[in-house]
Amino acid sequence: MIRTMGQHTEQPGRTQRSNDLAQPALDKASQIERSLSETGPGNGFSPLPDHASIQPIPGSAKPVITVSVRDLLEFVLRTGDLGGEGDFVGPTRAMAGIRGHQWVRKQRPQGYQTEVALAFRVEAEDMVLEVKGRADGLLHDSKTALVEEIKTVTGRWEGVADPLHWAQGKTYAAIYAQQNGLISMDVQLTYLELDSNQLVVFRQTFRIDELARFFHELTSNYLEWARQQHRWRAVRNRSIESLAFPFSRYRPGQRALAVAVYRTLTRGERLFAEAPTGIGKTVSVLFPALKAMTRGGLDKIFFLTAKTMGRTIVEQTFAELRRAG
């Protein structure tokens, strides 16, 4: 987060990420700082690696794209949302949902596992998709192989299982069955009506070929979109890497602010800065923010202004940046 204000430049209260992620950014930022001190604005900032959520496999050029089960389903099956109508009703409802989950789990037999972490990698020719998530419950013994999703509902509910909840359970079942050599697996959806404490249970058995086909179609659709995103990011990054500072020289204080912003964003820290009016704070924030996007971990920029005039300055600055490359 970057916040700019009034009189002088400050950079207090950093919160640094783990050293293995932060150190390369620190080294690169030091090089950039020296470069900005020694060369003109035309050189801009050095190009940096791709988006943080897309990581190369060691020893391979393939990028690995990681997505949660929830995000995968909500994106591919876009017909609604995995939550119910009561999701956004405040902390009381949230706590009731947590207690409901706990109550249901207490009814389960010995050997029942809760919050089971599952992950699966789908390797395509050009990239790898890693799907991760946590199943609410899992029971696997000599008689049963079952994955359970628990949902709490309030108010008007028609007593019908949500197709997205089935998809969520089937995704976890597909991963677990594949990794454990099962020929079939049960998916159970358990709805707890909080107003009446009534349980409604839906259960269905799926063969491994059904689960595998479902999972393949799901991930294939997401991979197609991921390829388009990856290609677009590559084009975006090349454009940003060639972008030069849009003015012939830096004003006093601009270079220091730009370096501070870049270092802050690539480290995942926070920066509070004060600078005199007229220093050119807007371009000193936006230019390094764009450059930091090629480093990874930053995919969107939100620039908040207090007045319409501030918005106009931002729009003018982007126009200057476009003209610069």
Side-chain angles (χ1 to χ4, degrees), residues 216-293:
H216 174 73
E217 291 174 356
L218 192 67
T219 54
S220 295
N221 287 334
Y222 191 87
L223 275 168
E224 183 54 39
W225 171 84
R227 289 186 182 96
Q228 296 176 17
Q229 285 292 101
H230 192 54
R231 289 193 292 267
W232 175 82
R233 283 195 181 100
V235 172
R236 180 202 68 186
N237 288 351
R238 286 195 296 271
S239 174
I240 292 174
E241 287 162 3
S242 65
L243 177 66
F245 191 72
F247 302 105
S248 59
R249 62 184 178 83
Y250 289 100
R251 296 177 185 175
Q254 266 190 320
R255 193 192 305 269
L257 178 57
V259 170
V261 169
Y262 181 84
R263 289 167 66 94
T264 297
L265 292 174
T266 54
R267 294 178 185 180
E269 300 173 355
R270 297 183 180 184
L271 172 67
F272 294 88
E274 293 180 277
T277 300
I279 187 181
K281 293 188 291 294
T282 302
V283 71
S284 299
V285 169
L286 288 177
F287 179 63
L290 288 170
K291 291 293 184 178
M293 293 183 81

Side-chain angles (χ1 to χ4, degrees), residues 104-148:
V104 171
R105 289 165 178 164
K106 287 180 180 179
Q107 318 305 312
R108 297 299 175 248
Q110 186 176 3
Y112 180 88
Q113 303 174 59
T114 63
E115 295 293 329
V116 181
L118 296 170
F120 194 88
R121 282 193 169 191
V122 179
E123 186 161 352
E125 292 183 2
D126 52 347
M127 61 178 56
V128 174
L129 177 64
E130 185 173 44
V131 181
K132 291 183 174 183
R134 288 183 180 272
D136 287 339
L138 179 69
L139 180 62
H140 187 191
D141 55 26
S142 59
K143 298 180 180 179
T144 307
L146 175 143
V147 64
E148 180 178 41

Side-chain angles (χ1 to χ4, degrees), residues 12-61:
R14 303 176 187 175
T15 305
Q16 185 165 305
R17 291 180 178 176
S18 59
N19 290 335
D20 57 336
L21 294 178
Q23 193 57 48
L26 294 175
D27 296 342
K28 178 59 70 176
S30 297
Q31 296 171 17
I32 290 168
E33 188 173 13
R34 289 195 297 271
S35 174
L36 288 173
S37 300
E38 296 168 359
T39 63
N43 286 336
F45 291 73
S46 302
L48 292 167
D50 207 342
H51 194 279
S53 66
I54 304 179
Q55 300 291 343
I57 303 174
S60 171

Side-chain angles (χ1 to χ4, degrees), residues 191-232:
Y191 291 85
L192 172 61
E193 295 181 343
L194 294 175
D195 298 331
S196 63
N197 258 4
Q198 180 180 355
L199 283 176
V200 180
V201 176
F202 302 89
R203 183 165 174 169
Q204 188 172 347
T205 301
F206 295 95
R207 300 189 313 273
I208 183 60
D209 61 307
E210 295 176 298
L211 294 172
R213 184 166 56 251
F214 168 80
F215 191 74
H216 174 73
E217 291 174 356
L218 192 67
T219 54
S220 295
N221 287 334
Y222 191 87
L223 275 168
E224 183 54 39
W225 171 84
R227 289 186 182 96
Q228 296 176 17
Q229 285 292 101
H230 192 54
R231 289 193 292 267
W232 175 82

Side-chain angles (χ1 to χ4, degrees), residues 300-321:
K300 294 182 178 66
I301 298 172
F302 294 86
F303 195 105
L304 308 183
T305 63
K307 300 178 181 179
T308 302
M309 179 58 70
R311 184 188 70 185
T312 302
I313 293 172
V314 173
E315 292 170 347
Q316 292 172 347
T317 301
F318 271 116
E320 293 288 349
L321 288 167

